[in-house]
């Protein structure tokens, strides 16, 4: 994610994960229960959907507490230290600290933009770039980021509301256990050069 510096862009920010060849930093079943409690608590505290926080974490770090980007974004929600300083003192490799500051920051973005895609774009590319381009910036990474989080968020809500889950097949593909009642509400938002604004009707 970007910090509050309007000059920061989403370009060249592939995630680099420390200890990528080991299980260190990965959330196990026991820690997942604790993380779920942390997510629920902070989602309620900062008025953000828990399913959305999980979708952001999945996209940002794939639940690796030690994930670090080349720009220095850290932890589950890939928070920059400079961003965290705007909210207090945090150890960004501790899940409860990271999720708290990440949720708090994203909540502020939601209140500012009032549209989920724009808030996600600002989380990824920075508020300055959303202002500069008057919408989702024309960065492929950011456009894919917004689309992927929305898809994950929709899938998470479908599972929560209808018990619909996604399972892995032997060939590595993913399929729904049953057809979603809601249906796929995500649309292609990466038809350059202009990007459609899209909000989820939940």
């Amino acid at each position: 994610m970007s910090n509050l510096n309007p000059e920061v862009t989403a370009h060249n920010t592939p995630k680099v994960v420390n200890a990528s060849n080991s299980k260190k930093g990965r959330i196990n079943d026991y820690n997942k229960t604790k993380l779920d409690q942390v997510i629920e608590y902070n989602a309620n505290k900062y008025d953000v959907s828990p399913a959305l926080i999980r979708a952001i974490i999945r996209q940002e770090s794939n639940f690796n507490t030690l994930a670090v980007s080349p720009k220095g974004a850290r932890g589950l929600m890939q928070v920059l230290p400079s961003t965290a300083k705007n909210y207090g003192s945090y150890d960004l490799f501790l899940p409860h600290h990271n999720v708290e500051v990440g949720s708090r920051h994203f909540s502020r973005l939601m209140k500012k933009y009032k549209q989920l895609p724009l808030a996600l774009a600002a989380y990824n590319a920075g508020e300055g770039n959303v202002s500069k381009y008057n919408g989702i910036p024309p960065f492929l990474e950011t456009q894919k980021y917004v689309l992927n989080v929305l898809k994950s968020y929709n899938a998470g809500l479908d599972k929560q509301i209808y018990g619909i889950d996604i399972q892995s097949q032997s060939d590595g593909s993913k399929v729904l256990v049953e057809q979603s009642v809601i249906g796929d509400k995500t649309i292609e938002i990466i038809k350059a050069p202009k990007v459609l604004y899209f909000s989820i009707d939940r």
Side-chain angles (χ1 to χ4, degrees):
M1 86 178 250
S2 174
N3 65 6
L4 303 181
N5 183 347
E7 299 304 316
V8 174
T9 69
H11 290 101
N12 303 314
T13 56
K15 301 298 179 287
V16 175
V17 179
N18 290 344
S20 59
N21 294 325
S22 74
K23 294 182 179 179
K24 189 175 182 181
R26 294 290 175 184
I27 299 294
N28 58 31
D29 289 340
Y30 173 75
N31 288 329
K32 184 179 183 301
T33 300
K34 288 187 173 181
L35 179 60
D36 284 342
Q37 294 172 349
V38 169
I39 290 173
E40 293 287 338
Y41 174 81
N42 285 288
N44 291 329
K45 182 177 180 180
Y46 296 110
D47 195 26
V48 180
S49 165
L52 181 55
I53 297 300
R54 289 187 184 91
I56 291 173
I57 291 173
R58 182 173 290 107
Q59 184 64 28
E60 289 286 354
S61 67
N62 197 25
F63 295 91
N64 191 314
T65 64
L66 300 180
V68 180
S69 80
K71 290 184 179 294
R74 300 175 182 177
L76 291 169
M77 295 187 72
Q78 289 291 276
V79 181
L80 283 171
S82 54
T83 299
K85 285 180 181 178
N86 289 294
Y87 301 103
S89 178
Y90 294 90
D91 180 343
L92 296 176
F93 291 118
L94 294 177
H96 61 287
H97 281 201
N98 192 284
V99 172
E100 178 174 359
V101 70
S103 299
R104 186 175 177 185
H105 181 59
F106 188 77
S107 176
R108 188 184 69 77
L109 295 176
M110 280 295 293
K111 288 180 174 67
K112 177 177 180 178
Y113 294 105
K114 298 179 175 56
Q115 293 185 48
L116 179 53
L118 292 182
L120 289 170
Y123 192 88
N124 176 260
E127 296 168 71
N129 281 312
V130 172
S131 298
K132 178 180 179 180
Y133 294 100
N134 195 30
I136 298 174
F139 308 148
L140 184 59
E141 179 192 329
T142 299
Q143 294 171 349
K144 286 183 175 179
Y145 175 88
V146 173
L147 179 61
N148 287 338
V149 173
L150 288 174
K151 284 182 175 180
S152 182
Y153 179 42
N154 275 350
L157 287 180
D158 283 349
K159 180 178 179 181
Q160 178 181 335
I161 298 170
Y162 297 102
I164 296 166
D165 203 353
I166 295 177
Q167 291 183 347
S168 297
Q169 302 303 293
S170 57
D171 62 359
S173 63
K174 306 279 186 182
V175 297
L176 289 175
V177 174
E178 59 183 80
Q179 182 62 40
S180 170
V181 176
I182 294 177
D184 185 8
K185 290 190 176 183
T186 56
I187 61 173
E188 271 194 45
I189 64 168
I190 54 175
K191 291 185 177 179
K194 290 292 183 180
V195 177
L196 297 175
Y197 291 147
F198 168 63
S199 62
I200 298 176
D201 298 323
R202 293 286 187 182

